[in-house]
Amino acid sequence: MEQYEPDRLSPAQVAAMRRSFRNGRAALSRRSLLRASAGGALAVGGLGALSGCGIPAAGQTQGGVSAEDHSAKEKTINFSNWTEYMDVDDSGKHHPTLDAFTKRSGISVKYTEDINDNVEFFGKIKPQLAAGQDTGRDLIVVTDWLAARLIRFGWVQKLNASNLPHAYANLSAQFRSPDWDPGRAYSYPWQGISTVVAFNKKALNGIEVKSVSDLLDNPKLKGRVGFLSEMRDSMGMTLLDMGKDPEKFTDDDFDAAIARLQKAVDKGQIRRFTGNDYTSDLTKGDLAACVAWAGDIVQLKADSPDVDFIIPDSGYLTSTDNMLIPNKARHKMNAERLMDFYYEPGPAAQLAAYINYVCPVDGVKDELAKIDKSAADNPLILPDKAMAAKSHAFRSLTQKEETAYEEKFAKLTGA
């Protein structure tokens, strides 16, 4: 198990995290683009929490450490999740799927929306995990790069497959074996997040967009192209366009992709690098085409017939938000039962219909069609086989790589 050392962030990494707090995925509404998350307000506190001063090394505790499991006697779960990432009834006070789980199992769920950003949340739980203490949480949801870090440090528990029969059987093939958790021994996806190419048909006015190369090279789109300020998304899509695999690329490959984007910046092809704020520019037509998050496009298409998307032949990038059980959690089996519940087609479909992210559960189409046929037919929510085959993940990075890559990307974007 990798030894934990307090994080030392480069200026470029700090800048990247501030971008994420301000207008990246941390600022995405999980249900409506009209409601902003609270992530931006936490930027200073969250970054300050990363200094890690005085925290013991992880070598003082072992991976997969469990307190005595009190699940049998204590019918409860403490579940921490992102804001706007759970189904809600019309009153705004109840979560129907959680209520259904409690009714069936007798296990109450204390559901807390206290994750506004991966970095800020890591700052919250790091002191307890590093010291081998209970975080007070039985189940957490974090993005793949942070999930990978927690697994490397030995700060989450190995799952008991016997408590996860639906998860094991129904997990979509494209999510089954990430390089940071082969075979999903420690995690299961909550939802998938796809990065695609979006466009405004009216703004294109007949111009054809089929690839990232079209965004970068077509002079008719000069000054009307957007890329994302999140390094993994923009660089991953560019690497794919260059015939490189984001799961296996080298330093030279990364530098070549930086140079490709830099050329487009220098000639004014790229209007700007954006966070979630590209949505208004795309709707208005100020951006004719851009690299975009699929969850946004599902929402935008519902309100604007001019907005649409394509999946380039070269492929697209997918990341995941993942459920994990921290060390010393008091209710491990209860948490596993809740994880498995969301891999049953019924609850999975109900969740997908509400939040509109990529559902990682196979076999939900018929159930989702009963709730929302348009969602069931939407490949941005339920990827078909052809789309799933084009999905690629951005590989795990070492601390040294992450520092170097963020610095190069920050220079490119002017951050």
Side-chain angles (χ1 to χ4, degrees):
M1 207 63 73
E2 179 176 318
Q3 179 107 357
Y4 169 70
E5 294 180 1
D7 296 289
R8 294 291 182 258
L9 299 181
S10 70
Q13 287 175 293
V14 172
M17 290 165 183
R18 287 191 187 280
R19 290 197 306 273
S20 181
F21 276 120
R22 185 171 62 248
N23 58 11
R25 281 192 51 244
L28 286 173
S29 167
R30 299 285 168 170
R31 175 57 186 165
S32 170
L33 296 174
L34 302 177
R35 290 183 284 175
S37 89
L42 294 165
V44 175
L47 290 169
L50 282 174
S51 61
C53 297
I55 295 175
Q60 296 183 9
T61 185
Q62 298 297 317
V65 176
S66 174
E68 180 184 352
D69 192 348
H70 297 267
S71 293
K73 294 182 179 179
E74 298 178 5
K75 297 295 185 179
T76 187
I77 304 167
N78 293 306
F79 182 8
S80 285
N81 204 348
W82 293 70
T83 57
E84 309 287 350
Y85 219 10
M86 180 67 75
D87 55 308
V88 180
D89 69 2
D90 291 340
S91 74
K93 298 179 180 179
H94 301 283
H95 303 292
T97 55
L98 289 177
D99 291 346
F101 172 78
T102 297
K103 183 177 181 180
R104 181 202 297 182
S105 66
I107 300 169
S108 64
V109 182
K110 181 182 178 182
Y111 184 71
T112 308
E113 294 182 334
D114 62 344
I115 305 179
N116 298 290
D117 180 85
N118 290 289
V119 175
E120 181 265 343
F121 185 66
F122 184 55
K124 282 184 182 179
I125 63 176
K126 182 171 59 175
Q128 293 97 332
L129 291 172
Q133 298 171 352
D134 180 13
T135 66
R137 299 168 175 87
D138 302 304
L139 190 63
I140 62 175
V141 176
V142 297
T143 305
D144 43 20
W145 66 264
L146 181 53
R149 179 181 294 185
L150 294 173
I151 292 169
R152 287 201 313 270
F153 291 161
W155 289 354
V156 294
Q157 297 186 54
K158 192 169 185 177
L159 301 173
N160 183 344
S162 66
N163 293 328
L164 295 156
H166 297 97
Y168 180 81
N170 296 335
L171 175 61
S172 297
Q174 72 182 96
F175 300 118
R176 279 197 175 270
S177 196
D179 65 353
W180 46 269
D181 187 16
R184 292 289 182 180
Y186 294 89
S187 68
Y188 269 91
W190 176 250
Q191 297 290 294
I193 304 142
S194 297
T195 305
V196 299
V197 172
F199 55 85
N200 183 308
K201 288 179 279 191
K202 185 175 180 180
L204 285 179
N205 193 26
I207 300 170
E208 191 173 62
V209 170
K210 290 187 174 182
S211 67
V212 170
S213 286
D214 290 334
L215 301 187
L216 295 174
D217 298 332
N218 190 331
K220 294 180 180 179
L221 295 178
K222 183 177 179 178
R224 298 192 294 146
V225 167
F227 274 71
L228 292 169
S229 58
E230 298 291 336
M231 182 269 289
R232 287 169 175 81
D233 295 284
S234 286
M235 293 303 295
M237 292 295 283
T238 304
L239 285 163
L240 282 169
D241 187 71
M242 298 172 68
K244 303 297 182 181
D245 188 344
E247 299 176 59
K248 299 177 182 178
F249 69 89
T250 65
D251 287 346
D252 288 343
D253 295 333
F254 187 89
D255 289 344
I258 285 283
R260 177 120 168 78
L261 288 173
Q262 186 66 60
K263 182 179 178 182
V265 169
D266 292 343
K267 67 181 182 182
Q269 185 77 5
I270 297 176
R271 182 183 183 94
R272 64 192 184 104
F273 290 84
T274 73
N276 181 242
D277 52 329
Y278 71 82
T279 54
S280 60
D281 287 347
L282 184 63
T283 302
K284 290 185 296 184
D286 292 341
L287 287 176
C290 62
V291 176
W293 288 305
D296 290 346
I297 306 308
V298 172
Q299 298 277 349
L300 292 180
K301 277 171 62 68
D303 299 322
S304 176
D306 291 326
V307 173
D308 211 335
F309 75 100
I310 58 103
I311 301 297
D313 288 341
S314 59
Y316 68 103
L317 206 68
T318 300
S319 57
T320 50
D321 286 332
N322 308 276
M323 297 179 281
L324 303 100
I325 299 175
N327 282 358
K328 294 298 184 78
R330 285 179 62 89
H331 311 109
K332 181 175 184 286
M333 185 172 68
N334 290 348
E336 289 168 336
R337 290 180 65 183
L338 182 60
M339 293 170 71
D340 194 61
F341 173 77
Y342 280 105
Y343 274 80
E344 296 179 26
Q350 193 168 351
L351 181 65
Y354 191 87
I355 63 176
N356 294 157
Y357 277 74
V358 179
C359 180
V361 183
D362 277 343
V364 304
K365 189 176 181 69
D366 289 345
E367 292 292 330
L368 185 54
K370 296 175 185 176
I371 304 169
D372 185 344
K373 189 176 187 306
S374 65
D377 293 335
N378 192 330
L380 296 181
I381 298 174
L382 295 182
D384 55 27
K385 289 183 179 180
M387 184 168 173
K390 292 184 177 182
S391 171
H392 299 266
F394 197 95
R395 70 170 173 82
S396 300
L397 301 179
T398 66
Q399 182 68 23
K400 182 179 179 181
E401 286 176 327
E402 186 164 355
T403 299
Y405 293 170
E406 286 288 7
E407 286 176 350
K408 291 173 181 179
F409 189 71
K411 183 178 180 181
L412 167 75
T413 61

